[in-house]
Amino acid sequence: LAGYPFTIYCLGWLHQGIWVMSAFEVLVGLWVLYWAQGGLKLHWPLVPVDRIGVRSFSWRNLSIFVLVNVFVLLPAAIVYVLFFTALAVGHFSDGFMALHSNGLSVQVRKYVRNDGKTIELFPMTHIADAGFYQKVSRTFPTNSVILMEGVTDENNLLTNKITYKRMAKSLGLSEQHETFEPNRGKMVLADVDVDQFSQDTIDFLNLVMLVHSQGLTPGNVQKLMEYSPPDHFEDKLIDDLVKKRNRHVVEEIQSRLSQTDNIMVPWGVAHMPGIANEIQKSGFRLDGTQEYMVIQFRRNGNESKGAGQ
Protein backbone atom coordinates (compact mmCIF):
# COMPACT_ATOMS: atom_id res chain seq x y z
CA LEU A 1 0.00 0.00 0.00
CA ALA A 2 2.83 2.38 0.78
CA GLY A 3 4.26 1.75 -2.67
CA TYR A 4 1.03 2.59 -4.50
CA PRO A 5 1.79 6.34 -4.86
CA PHE A 6 5.30 5.40 -6.00
CA THR A 7 3.88 3.44 -8.96
CA ILE A 8 1.88 6.53 -10.00
CA TYR A 9 4.40 9.33 -9.79
CA CYS A 10 7.69 7.43 -10.14
CA LEU A 11 6.74 4.70 -12.61
CA GLY A 12 10.10 4.95 -14.37
CA TRP A 13 11.84 3.97 -11.13
CA LEU A 14 9.49 1.08 -10.33
CA HIS A 15 12.10 -1.68 -10.56
CA GLN A 16 14.53 0.24 -8.36
CA GLY A 17 11.74 0.92 -5.88
CA ILE A 18 10.82 -2.75 -5.69
CA TRP A 19 14.48 -3.60 -5.04
CA VAL A 20 14.68 -1.05 -2.21
CA MET A 21 11.46 -2.35 -0.62
CA SER A 22 12.72 -5.94 -0.83
CA ALA A 23 16.03 -4.96 0.77
CA PHE A 24 14.11 -3.20 3.54
CA GLU A 25 12.04 -6.34 4.19
CA VAL A 26 15.25 -8.40 4.49
CA LEU A 27 16.67 -5.89 6.98
CA VAL A 28 13.49 -6.03 9.06
CA GLY A 29 13.69 -9.83 9.10
CA LEU A 30 17.33 -9.73 10.20
CA TRP A 31 16.48 -7.24 12.95
CA VAL A 32 13.70 -9.53 14.25
CA LEU A 33 16.15 -12.45 14.23
CA TYR A 34 18.75 -10.34 16.07
CA TRP A 35 16.17 -9.40 18.71
CA ALA A 36 14.93 -12.98 19.10
CA GLN A 37 18.45 -14.40 19.41
CA GLY A 38 19.47 -11.73 21.91
CA GLY A 39 22.48 -10.52 19.89
CA LEU A 40 24.81 -11.46 17.07
CA LYS A 41 24.59 -15.19 17.58
CA LEU A 42 22.64 -17.98 15.97
CA HIS A 43 21.30 -21.04 17.74
CA TRP A 44 18.26 -23.29 17.74
CA PRO A 45 15.39 -22.60 18.21
CA LEU A 46 15.46 -19.33 16.26
CA VAL A 47 12.90 -17.86 18.65
CA PRO A 48 13.59 -19.05 22.22
CA VAL A 49 10.59 -19.85 24.41
CA ASP A 50 11.45 -17.08 26.86
CA ARG A 51 11.09 -14.54 24.03
CA ILE A 52 7.54 -15.63 23.26
CA GLY A 53 6.10 -14.70 26.64
CA VAL A 54 3.60 -16.46 28.86
CA ARG A 55 0.42 -14.57 27.99
CA SER A 56 -2.42 -17.04 27.31
CA PHE A 57 -5.11 -16.97 24.64
CA SER A 58 -7.82 -14.36 25.19
CA TRP A 59 -11.17 -14.09 23.45
CA ARG A 60 -11.16 -10.39 24.29
CA ASN A 61 -7.88 -9.79 22.48
CA LEU A 62 -9.06 -11.85 19.50
CA SER A 63 -12.36 -9.95 19.32
CA ILE A 64 -10.60 -6.58 19.45
CA PHE A 65 -8.14 -7.69 16.76
CA VAL A 66 -10.95 -8.86 14.44
CA LEU A 67 -13.09 -5.77 15.01
CA VAL A 68 -10.22 -3.36 14.39
CA ASN A 69 -9.28 -5.15 11.16
CA VAL A 70 -12.84 -5.39 9.83
CA PHE A 71 -14.21 -1.99 10.86
CA VAL A 72 -11.08 0.20 10.87
CA LEU A 73 -8.17 -1.15 8.83
CA LEU A 74 -10.18 -2.68 5.96
CA PRO A 75 -12.35 0.43 5.33
CA ALA A 76 -9.26 2.63 5.64
CA ALA A 77 -7.41 0.49 3.09
CA ILE A 78 -10.36 0.65 0.67
CA VAL A 79 -10.59 4.44 0.96
CA TYR A 80 -6.81 4.69 0.53
CA VAL A 81 -6.82 2.58 -2.64
CA LEU A 82 -9.80 4.44 -4.14
CA PHE A 83 -8.16 7.80 -3.40
CA PHE A 84 -4.91 6.92 -5.12
CA THR A 85 -6.79 5.20 -7.97
CA ALA A 86 -8.54 8.51 -8.64
CA LEU A 87 -5.16 10.25 -8.58
CA ALA A 88 -3.75 7.65 -10.99
CA VAL A 89 -6.62 8.13 -13.46
CA GLY A 90 -6.09 11.89 -13.51
CA HIS A 91 -2.31 11.63 -13.63
CA PHE A 92 -1.98 9.13 -16.49
CA SER A 93 -4.72 10.81 -18.56
CA ASP A 94 -3.26 14.28 -17.98
CA GLY A 95 -6.59 15.36 -16.49
CA PHE A 96 -8.68 14.29 -19.50
CA MET A 97 -10.44 11.69 -17.31
CA ALA A 98 -11.40 11.85 -13.65
CA LEU A 99 -12.76 9.28 -11.21
CA HIS A 100 -15.40 10.59 -8.80
CA SER A 101 -17.50 8.97 -6.12
CA ASN A 102 -20.51 9.01 -8.47
CA GLY A 103 -18.82 7.99 -11.71
CA LEU A 104 -16.23 8.61 -14.42
CA SER A 105 -16.04 11.93 -16.25
CA VAL A 106 -14.01 13.27 -19.15
CA GLN A 107 -12.87 16.79 -19.92
CA VAL A 108 -13.43 18.09 -23.43
CA ARG A 109 -10.87 20.73 -24.34
CA LYS A 110 -11.12 23.45 -26.98
CA TYR A 111 -7.93 24.80 -28.56
CA VAL A 112 -7.72 27.93 -30.74
CA ARG A 113 -5.09 29.49 -32.96
CA ASN A 114 -4.53 33.16 -33.74
CA ASP A 115 -6.04 32.73 -37.21
CA GLY A 116 -9.36 31.58 -35.68
CA LYS A 117 -8.95 27.85 -36.34
CA THR A 118 -10.28 25.65 -33.53
CA ILE A 119 -9.66 22.05 -32.51
CA GLU A 120 -11.79 20.30 -29.92
CA LEU A 121 -10.56 17.11 -28.27
CA PHE A 122 -13.33 14.78 -27.08
CA PRO A 123 -11.96 11.98 -24.84
CA MET A 124 -13.95 8.84 -25.62
CA THR A 125 -14.33 5.40 -24.05
CA HIS A 126 -15.26 2.13 -25.77
CA ILE A 127 -18.25 1.69 -23.45
CA ALA A 128 -20.28 4.35 -21.64
CA ASP A 129 -23.78 5.52 -20.83
CA ALA A 130 -25.74 6.00 -24.06
CA GLY A 131 -26.56 9.57 -23.03
CA PHE A 132 -22.87 10.49 -23.13
CA TYR A 133 -22.50 9.55 -26.80
CA GLN A 134 -25.72 11.35 -27.71
CA LYS A 135 -24.77 14.50 -25.86
CA VAL A 136 -21.32 14.62 -27.49
CA SER A 137 -22.85 14.12 -30.96
CA ARG A 138 -25.14 17.11 -30.49
CA THR A 139 -22.24 19.46 -29.70
CA PHE A 140 -20.52 19.16 -33.11
CA PRO A 141 -20.97 22.24 -35.34
CA THR A 142 -22.53 21.60 -38.74
CA ASN A 143 -19.50 23.12 -40.50
CA SER A 144 -16.95 20.99 -38.67
CA VAL A 145 -14.76 18.10 -39.80
CA ILE A 146 -14.98 15.13 -37.43
CA LEU A 147 -11.86 12.95 -37.42
CA MET A 148 -13.19 9.54 -36.44
CA GLU A 149 -11.25 6.84 -34.62
CA GLY A 150 -11.42 3.24 -35.77
CA VAL A 151 -8.69 0.87 -36.91
CA THR A 152 -9.47 -0.74 -40.27
CA ASP A 153 -8.52 -4.27 -41.32
CA GLU A 154 -8.39 -4.32 -45.10
CA ASN A 155 -6.34 -7.54 -45.24
CA ASN A 156 -8.38 -9.42 -42.61
CA LEU A 157 -5.41 -9.86 -40.28
CA LEU A 158 -7.63 -9.99 -37.20
CA THR A 159 -9.26 -13.35 -36.58
CA ASN A 160 -11.85 -11.79 -34.28
CA LYS A 161 -13.72 -8.52 -34.76
CA ILE A 162 -12.78 -5.75 -32.33
CA THR A 163 -15.85 -5.51 -30.14
CA TYR A 164 -16.73 -4.64 -26.56
CA LYS A 165 -20.36 -5.73 -26.76
CA ARG A 166 -20.07 -8.43 -24.09
CA MET A 167 -18.49 -6.03 -21.62
CA ALA A 168 -21.04 -3.30 -22.34
CA LYS A 169 -23.96 -5.69 -21.95
CA SER A 170 -22.67 -7.12 -18.67
CA LEU A 171 -22.29 -3.62 -17.20
CA GLY A 172 -25.55 -2.25 -18.57
CA LEU A 173 -23.75 0.26 -20.79
CA SER A 174 -23.62 1.06 -24.50
CA GLU A 175 -20.84 0.35 -26.97
CA GLN A 176 -19.31 3.36 -28.72
CA HIS A 177 -19.22 1.61 -32.08
CA GLU A 178 -22.99 1.03 -31.99
CA THR A 179 -24.23 4.21 -30.30
CA PHE A 180 -21.93 7.07 -31.27
CA GLU A 181 -23.25 8.33 -34.62
CA PRO A 182 -22.65 12.07 -35.18
CA ASN A 183 -25.29 13.52 -37.53
CA ARG A 184 -23.74 16.95 -37.95
CA GLY A 185 -20.46 17.85 -39.60
CA LYS A 186 -18.37 15.88 -42.07
CA MET A 187 -17.04 12.59 -40.73
CA VAL A 188 -13.59 11.47 -41.88
CA LEU A 189 -11.90 8.21 -40.87
CA ALA A 190 -8.51 9.28 -39.51
CA ASP A 191 -7.09 6.03 -38.15
CA VAL A 192 -4.55 3.50 -39.42
CA ASP A 193 -4.98 -0.01 -40.78
CA VAL A 194 -4.02 -3.12 -38.86
CA ASP A 195 -1.31 -3.92 -41.39
CA GLN A 196 0.74 -1.06 -39.95
CA PHE A 197 1.03 -2.89 -36.62
CA SER A 198 3.81 -5.31 -35.79
CA GLN A 199 3.04 -9.02 -35.93
CA ASP A 200 3.44 -9.28 -32.15
CA THR A 201 0.75 -6.64 -31.66
CA ILE A 202 -1.58 -8.36 -34.13
CA ASP A 203 -1.15 -11.70 -32.34
CA PHE A 204 -1.89 -10.05 -29.01
CA LEU A 205 -5.01 -8.31 -30.37
CA ASN A 206 -6.28 -11.60 -31.74
CA LEU A 207 -5.91 -13.18 -28.31
CA VAL A 208 -7.56 -10.28 -26.46
CA MET A 209 -10.47 -10.04 -28.89
CA LEU A 210 -10.96 -13.81 -28.62
CA VAL A 211 -11.64 -13.35 -24.91
CA HIS A 212 -13.86 -10.30 -25.54
CA SER A 213 -15.96 -12.12 -28.10
CA GLN A 214 -16.21 -15.56 -26.47
CA GLY A 215 -15.55 -14.87 -22.80
CA LEU A 216 -13.28 -16.73 -20.39
CA THR A 217 -13.89 -20.25 -21.60
CA PRO A 218 -11.51 -23.03 -20.45
CA GLY A 219 -9.84 -23.02 -23.87
CA ASN A 220 -9.34 -19.24 -23.84
CA VAL A 221 -7.97 -19.30 -20.30
CA GLN A 222 -5.44 -21.93 -21.39
CA LYS A 223 -4.40 -19.75 -24.34
CA LEU A 224 -3.92 -16.77 -22.02
CA MET A 225 -1.79 -18.82 -19.65
CA GLU A 226 0.34 -20.15 -22.52
CA TYR A 227 0.89 -16.72 -24.06
CA SER A 228 4.44 -15.46 -23.59
CA PRO A 229 5.11 -11.90 -24.81
CA PRO A 230 8.45 -11.19 -26.51
CA ASP A 231 11.10 -8.87 -25.09
CA HIS A 232 10.17 -5.17 -24.96
CA PHE A 233 6.63 -6.08 -26.02
CA GLU A 234 5.09 -3.29 -23.93
CA ASP A 235 7.03 -0.63 -25.86
CA LYS A 236 5.98 -2.10 -29.21
CA LEU A 237 2.36 -2.30 -28.11
CA ILE A 238 2.24 1.33 -26.95
CA ASP A 239 3.96 2.48 -30.13
CA ASP A 240 1.44 0.62 -32.33
CA LEU A 241 -1.78 1.30 -30.44
CA VAL A 242 -1.09 4.85 -29.25
CA LYS A 243 1.93 6.67 -30.68
CA LYS A 244 1.65 5.51 -34.30
CA ARG A 245 -2.06 6.30 -34.42
CA ASN A 246 -1.47 9.67 -32.73
CA ARG A 247 1.02 10.62 -35.42
CA HIS A 248 -1.50 9.67 -38.10
CA VAL A 249 -4.38 11.70 -36.67
CA VAL A 250 -2.13 14.74 -36.10
CA GLU A 251 -1.16 14.57 -39.78
CA GLU A 252 -4.87 14.46 -40.65
CA ILE A 253 -5.49 17.49 -38.45
CA GLN A 254 -2.80 19.48 -40.24
CA SER A 255 -4.08 18.50 -43.67
CA ARG A 256 -7.72 19.35 -42.85
CA LEU A 257 -7.06 22.78 -41.34
CA SER A 258 -7.13 24.31 -44.80
CA GLN A 259 -10.65 22.94 -45.38
CA THR A 260 -12.44 24.03 -42.20
CA ASP A 261 -12.20 26.28 -39.18
CA ASN A 262 -13.50 23.64 -36.77
CA ILE A 263 -11.99 20.19 -36.27
CA MET A 264 -13.52 17.70 -33.83
CA VAL A 265 -11.36 14.82 -32.55
CA PRO A 266 -13.47 12.21 -30.65
CA TRP A 267 -10.71 9.72 -29.82
CA GLY A 268 -9.88 7.48 -26.87
CA VAL A 269 -8.72 8.99 -23.61
CA ALA A 270 -5.29 7.35 -23.91
CA HIS A 271 -4.61 9.33 -27.10
CA MET A 272 -5.56 12.75 -25.73
CA PRO A 273 -2.33 13.79 -23.91
CA GLY A 274 -0.19 13.06 -26.96
CA ILE A 275 -2.55 14.77 -29.42
CA ALA A 276 -2.93 17.82 -27.18
CA ASN A 277 0.83 18.14 -26.86
CA GLU A 278 1.34 18.03 -30.64
CA ILE A 279 -1.35 20.57 -31.57
CA GLN A 280 -0.07 22.99 -28.95
CA LYS A 281 3.36 22.78 -30.58
CA SER A 282 1.75 24.00 -33.80
CA GLY A 283 0.43 27.20 -32.24
CA PHE A 284 -2.88 26.18 -30.66
CA ARG A 285 -3.67 27.24 -27.10
CA LEU A 286 -6.26 25.99 -24.62
CA ASP A 287 -9.38 28.18 -24.75
CA GLY A 288 -12.00 26.31 -22.71
CA THR A 289 -13.08 23.03 -21.15
CA GLN A 290 -16.33 21.15 -20.63
CA GLU A 291 -16.88 18.17 -18.35
CA TYR A 292 -19.11 15.22 -19.28
CA MET A 293 -20.13 12.24 -17.19
CA VAL A 294 -19.20 9.05 -19.07
CA ILE A 295 -20.36 6.42 -16.59
CA GLN A 296 -22.56 7.19 -13.62
CA PHE A 297 -22.39 4.94 -10.57
CA ARG A 298 -25.51 6.59 -9.16
CA ARG A 299 -28.26 7.88 -11.42
CA ASN A 300 -28.65 11.36 -10.03
CA GLY A 301 -27.40 14.85 -10.71
CA ASN A 302 -26.53 16.41 -14.03
CA GLU A 303 -24.71 14.39 -16.63
CA SER A 304 -22.54 17.27 -17.67
CA LYS A 305 -21.54 20.60 -16.34
CA GLY A 306 -19.42 23.48 -17.44
CA ALA A 307 -15.88 23.51 -16.12
CA GLY A 308 -14.84 27.00 -17.07
CA GLN A 309 -14.31 28.86 -20.30
Side-chain angles (χ1 to χ4, degrees):
L1 290 175
Y4 197 6
F6 187 86
T7 63
I8 299 174
Y9 299 103
C10 303
L11 187 60
W13 294 86
L14 182 60
H15 294 294
Q16 293 86 338
I18 292 175
W19 189 92
V20 171
M21 292 178 64
S22 299
F24 176 75
E25 291 172 347
V26 171
L27 291 176
V28 171
L30 292 175
W31 178 84
V32 171
L33 184 61
Y34 172 83
W35 172 84
Q37 293 285 316
L40 294 174
K41 52 186 177 180
L42 188 62
H43 54 78
W44 190 263
L46 294 179
V47 181
V49 176
D50 59 339
R51 291 285 182 175
I52 297 177
V54 295
R55 188 171 184 174
S56 59
F57 174 81
S58 169
W59 282 106
R60 177 176 176 272
N61 290 340
L62 177 62
S63 301
I64 293 175
F65 176 81
V66 172
L67 291 175
V68 169
N69 276 273
V70 172
F71 295 104
V72 179
L73 295 182
L74 181 59
I78 294 174
V79 171
Y80 177 89
V81 169
L82 290 177
F83 174 76
F84 279 105
T85 299
L87 290 181
V89 170
H91 177 74
F92 290 114
S93 69
D94 198 20
F96 277 98
M97 174 173 277
L99 175 63
H100 309 282
S101 60
N102 63 329
L104 279 170
S105 70
V106 293
Q107 186 184 82
V108 175
R109 297 181 186 178
K110 179 181 179 180
Y111 296 85
V112 299
R113 200 166 63 179
N114 291 337
D115 60 0
K117 302 286 186 179
T118 65
I119 300 173
E120 291 192 54
L121 302 184
F122 290 81
M124 305 295 288
T125 57
H126 293 298
I127 60 173
D129 292 327
F132 165 70
Y133 298 128
Q134 297 165 3
K135 188 177 290 291
V136 169
S137 299
R138 291 194 296 267
T139 64
F140 294 156
T142 55
N143 63 341
S144 63
V145 171
I146 307 169
L147 301 183
M148 299 294 290
E149 177 186 15
V151 176
T152 57
D153 186 16
E154 296 294 338
N155 298 319
N156 297 316
L157 298 176
L158 296 179
T159 57
N160 293 278
K161 180 182 178 181
I162 297 178
T163 176
Y164 301 90
K165 184 175 295 186
R166 288 175 59 91
M167 182 188 300
K169 184 178 180 180
S170 64
L171 296 176
L173 301 173
S174 298
E175 188 181 12
Q176 178 182 346
H177 177 71
E178 299 291 337
T179 310
F180 182 57
E181 298 179 349
N183 52 17
R184 297 194 295 179
K186 178 183 178 182
M187 289 191 295
V188 177
L189 183 60
D191 216 329
V192 302
D193 192 84
V194 175
D195 62 8
Q196 297 187 37
F197 295 162
S198 67
Q199 188 59 50
D200 291 332
T201 297
I202 294 174
D203 293 340
F204 179 75
L205 288 176
N206 282 329
L207 178 60
V208 172
M209 286 304 112
L210 180 66
V211 175
H212 271 287
S213 60
Q214 300 181 6
L216 288 174
T217 63
N220 291 342
V221 171
Q222 182 178 356
K223 291 179 180 179
L224 286 172
M225 295 177 63
E226 293 175 349
Y227 178 75
S228 178
D231 294 337
H232 308 294
F233 172 67
E234 295 83 357
D235 296 333
K236 295 179 183 178
L237 188 66
I238 294 298
D239 184 67
D240 283 337
L241 298 185
V242 180
K243 296 180 180 180
K244 187 176 294 183
R245 297 169 65 196
N246 282 2
R247 290 192 293 267
H248 190 272
V249 73
V250 169
E251 291 174 358
E252 285 287 342
I253 290 173
Q254 298 300 333
S255 66
R256 300 285 175 175
L257 282 172
S258 60
Q259 305 173 14
T260 181
D261 290 335
N262 303 297
I263 293 182
M264 310 289 111
V265 187
W267 274 49
V269 175
H271 299 276
M272 291 292 107
I275 298 174
N277 184 55
E278 291 300 319
I279 64 175
Q280 288 180 97
K281 289 180 181 178
S282 60
F284 285 87
R285 66 182 185 278
L286 182 63
D287 184 61
T289 63
Q290 185 81 11
E291 187 177 357
Y292 291 83
M293 289 302 298
V294 179
I295 299 175
Q296 288 187 320
F297 301 148
R298 295 194 300 269
R299 300 286 180 177
N300 54 21
N302 296 327
E303 290 188 354
S304 66
K305 61 180 180 179
Q309 298 294 331

